Amino acid sequence: MAETAVEKTKTASAPVDRRPSASIVAVQGPVVDIKFFEGESSPAVYDCIETMTFEGKKITLQCAEHLGQGVVRCISLQETLNLQKNAPCFCTYKPIAIPVGDGCFGRVMDTSGRPLDNGGPFENCPNLIPIRKPTVEVTFDLTSKRREIAEVLETGIKYVDLLYPLVKGSRTGVIGGAGCGKTVIILELIHNIVKAHGGACVFTGIGERIREGNELYYELHESNLLHKVMLAFGQMDQPPGTRAEVVNAGLTMAEYLVAKNKDVLLFMDNLYRFIQGGQEISTLLGRVPAETGYQPTMSSEVNAVQERIRSVDGGGSITAMQAVYVPADDMTDPAVVAIFATLDGNIVLSRDLVQRGMYPAIDPLQSSCTNLDTAVVGRRHYEVSQRVIQHFNKHNALKRVVAVIGIDELSKEDQLIYKRAEKLYNFMTQPFSVSEVFTGKKGEYVPIEDNIEGCERILNGEYDHLESSDFYMIGKAPRV
């Protein structure tokens, strides 16, 4: 999805109707220092400055800090190769703004709003919307009798619907190390939500592989889902400024749809790369890191992003699914903990389950969800989910004993619980539509009611005569 030479020429046209307001005095990788001419106003932090390489390629710089005497330090949003000293700069005195409208469906843009899909300019996008906005003040009216009613969003994924239900306006993290299947779960969610609910989706690729973005684009196209999804990418090969800011571009597109009273699913893959981009910027600017090695402003940056994910008056909502990479599988990493604190639910992926072929590889004992409440999901759903978790806990306590002395040495009651827990673990596996080419099995969408009924039957002993392998990689529970 690289930019073509034709598009480079289009975006590189010199702003002949403006005179330069500054010139470049130093270039150090993605950090560019520019000096404003005498009498010219300095830009605000996050304002954009445009310049060009000697070969005519347009470069967008974002103001990061003022060094005094008219010198401003900027972070480049594109590669600074062939950028020359004394090159003229044109200050816009405005933050990054992207074209947002219905013409963005099925299209891919970068952080600064340029098309990445060779599809030409965005149509039906008359206005440019700034990607950074001031925080919305929340007011409380004690006289109002209106109360938010949580509305569960069915996903068709058994683990998610049973133990970690999605509620409109909530934030859920999909957390795991490399190769544990975070992206696959998010792709399946996009597939199921668009197919079953006809919802609008925004996908934000934050510092992920170009190959993954390319595969996602063509997979959505082949599945006839592309026309329902807006995409923004700041990919792995791009400067840290792009990777740190693309999350705001995705939020801006989601907010545009919410303003039209739509329920939007926002997928962010991967939020850890957003923190990583901010860390690189902080280091490049010479700021002293915190004790943990991350930028000192990490918590405020994460919270500023999460505060924009919410329901609004009038019916619109943003429901976010956020993939979170866990470095070295360390769940106590400060970046992971900072993200944890802002989420309504955490779906933790286990490498041990991946090695055993249990897909999706969700660890039910490390994962959690605040939406699993009788007021949200109802009494029956809540009680079944708690019984399932109790069986998983008992299975975890017994598995080492079974590994040493065998299952036959357990009491009859413990044997029963252990075998039913094995069936539940296998029943929670599920063939995904997006992974049919790898599993050879047709993807299954399982409604919540069928999901709960299947778990109830296993817990009540109706399937005690079957083997746990009979429940591996199936959709609905078999009929007795």
Side-chain angles (χ1 to χ4, degrees), residues 316-369:
S317 66
I318 301 175
T319 306
M321 288 294 296
Q322 309 168 15
V324 183
Y325 166 68
V326 179
D329 291 346
D330 179 14
M331 299 299 290
T332 63
D333 186 89
V336 178
V337 172
I339 297 170
F340 259 23
T342 65
L343 300 176
D344 299 304
N346 303 309
I347 297 175
V348 180
L349 303 182
S350 163
R351 194 171 299 282
D352 177 57
L353 290 172
V354 170
Q355 291 167 350
R356 288 164 52 192
M358 309 292 277
Y359 296 106
I362 296 172
D363 188 335
L365 302 181
Q366 287 195 63
S367 306
S368 62
C369 184

Side-chain angles (χ1 to χ4, degrees), residues 193-319:
I193 294 299
V194 172
K195 283 278 188 182
H197 302 286
C201 296
V202 176
F203 185 92
T204 311
I206 311 167
E208 286 300 288
R209 300 169 186 85
I210 297 172
R211 169 185 59 79
E212 290 181 344
N214 193 64
E215 288 174 357
L216 169 66
Y217 180 84
Y218 285 107
E219 196 165 299
L220 291 172
H221 177 69
E222 290 166 7
S223 304
N224 199 29
L225 302 174
L226 192 60
H227 67 287
K228 286 284 189 178
V229 185
M230 297 181 180
L231 301 103
F233 282 97
Q235 295 176 142
M236 191 175 276
D237 66 325
Q238 295 182 305
T242 299
R243 287 182 270 124
E245 288 293 338
V246 72
V247 65
N248 291 313
L251 283 165
T252 302
M253 290 192 286
E255 286 169 345
Y256 162 80
L257 294 170
V258 166
K260 300 178 73 174
N261 294 331
K262 290 188 177 182
D263 292 316
V264 186
L265 273 162
L266 172 64
F267 296 92
M268 295 192 279
D269 187 9
N270 184 299
L271 201 62
Y272 177 81
R273 306 294 182 197
F274 159 72
I275 293 178
Q276 203 172 41
Q279 181 188 21
E280 290 179 42
I281 291 172
S282 182
T283 304
L284 288 165
L285 296 175
R287 293 171 183 161
V288 178
E291 268 185 34
T292 58
Y294 289 98
Q295 63 270 39
T297 55
M298 178 175 66
S299 292
S300 61
E301 289 172 4
V302 172
N303 289 325
V305 168
Q306 303 288 11
E307 276 299 307
R308 294 175 69 177
I309 300 168
R310 57 197 174 87
S311 297
V312 297
D313 291 337
S317 66
I318 301 175
T319 306

Side-chain angles (χ1 to χ4, degrees), residues 159-222:
Y159 252 132
V160 175
D161 286 339
L162 182 70
L163 301 179
Y164 324 106
L166 292 187
V167 169
K168 290 181 180 179
S170 65
R171 299 174 288 268
T172 303
V174 183
I175 298 158
C180 287
K182 300 181 296 297
T183 303
V184 173
I185 289 177
I186 281 183
L187 289 179
E188 184 70 7
L189 281 165
I190 292 176
H191 178 274
N192 289 356
I193 294 299
V194 172
K195 283 278 188 182
H197 302 286
C201 296
V202 176
F203 185 92
T204 311
I206 311 167
E208 286 300 288
R209 300 169 186 85
I210 297 172
R211 169 185 59 79
E212 290 181 344
N214 193 64
E215 288 174 357
L216 169 66
Y217 180 84
Y218 285 107
E219 196 165 299
L220 291 172
H221 177 69
E222 290 166 7

Side-chain angles (χ1 to χ4, degrees), residues 301-440:
E301 289 172 4
V302 172
N303 289 325
V305 168
Q306 303 288 11
E307 276 299 307
R308 294 175 69 177
I309 300 168
R310 57 197 174 87
S311 297
V312 297
D313 291 337
S317 66
I318 301 175
T319 306
M321 288 294 296
Q322 309 168 15
V324 183
Y325 166 68
V326 179
D329 291 346
D330 179 14
M331 299 299 290
T332 63
D333 186 89
V336 178
V337 172
I339 297 170
F340 259 23
T342 65
L343 300 176
D344 299 304
N346 303 309
I347 297 175
V348 180
L349 303 182
S350 163
R351 194 171 299 282
D352 177 57
L353 290 172
V354 170
Q355 291 167 350
R356 288 164 52 192
M358 309 292 277
Y359 296 106
I362 296 172
D363 188 335
L365 302 181
Q366 287 195 63
S367 306
S368 62
C369 184
T370 58
N371 298 327
L372 193 59
D373 186 272
T374 52
V376 177
V377 298
R379 173 64 61 182
R380 180 184 174 223
H381 184 159
Y382 177 78
E383 288 178 351
V384 170
S385 67
Q386 293 308 300
R387 288 177 66 192
V388 168
I389 292 170
Q390 287 166 9
H391 276 64
F392 285 155
N393 273 313
K394 189 69 173 177
H395 179 275
N396 189 55
L398 292 173
K399 66 181 181 181
R400 290 189 180 180
V401 177
V402 171
V404 175
I405 63 173
I407 192 171
D408 294 332
E409 297 300 318
L410 298 177
S411 66
K412 293 294 183 184
E413 184 182 353
D414 284 350
Q415 283 187 39
L416 212 55
I417 292 173
Y418 189 86
K419 288 179 179 178
R420 288 175 183 173
E422 286 279 321
K423 291 183 177 71
L424 286 168
Y425 267 117
N426 280 274
F427 179 60
M428 285 294 136
T429 61
Q430 184 174 350
F432 282 175
S433 297
V434 296
S435 58
E436 286 178 11
V437 67
F438 303 109
T439 62

Side-chain angles (χ1 to χ4, degrees), residues 24 27 52-57 59 79-85 87:
I24 294 175
V27 179
M52 295 201 305
T53 64
F54 75 82
E55 58 186 9
K57 181 183 176 183
I59 303 291
E79 290 291 339
T80 55
L81 184 68
N82 297 329
L83 199 58
Q84 294 177 305
K85 186 179 179 181

Side-chain angles (χ1 to χ4, degrees), residues 21 26 48 58 97 129 190 199 242 278 306 313 318 322 431 451 469 472:
S21 50
C48 288
K58 189 171 95 171
I129 301 178
I190 292 176
T242 299
Q306 303 288 11
D313 291 337
I318 301 175
Q322 309 168 15
N451 189 2
S469 58
Y472 180 71

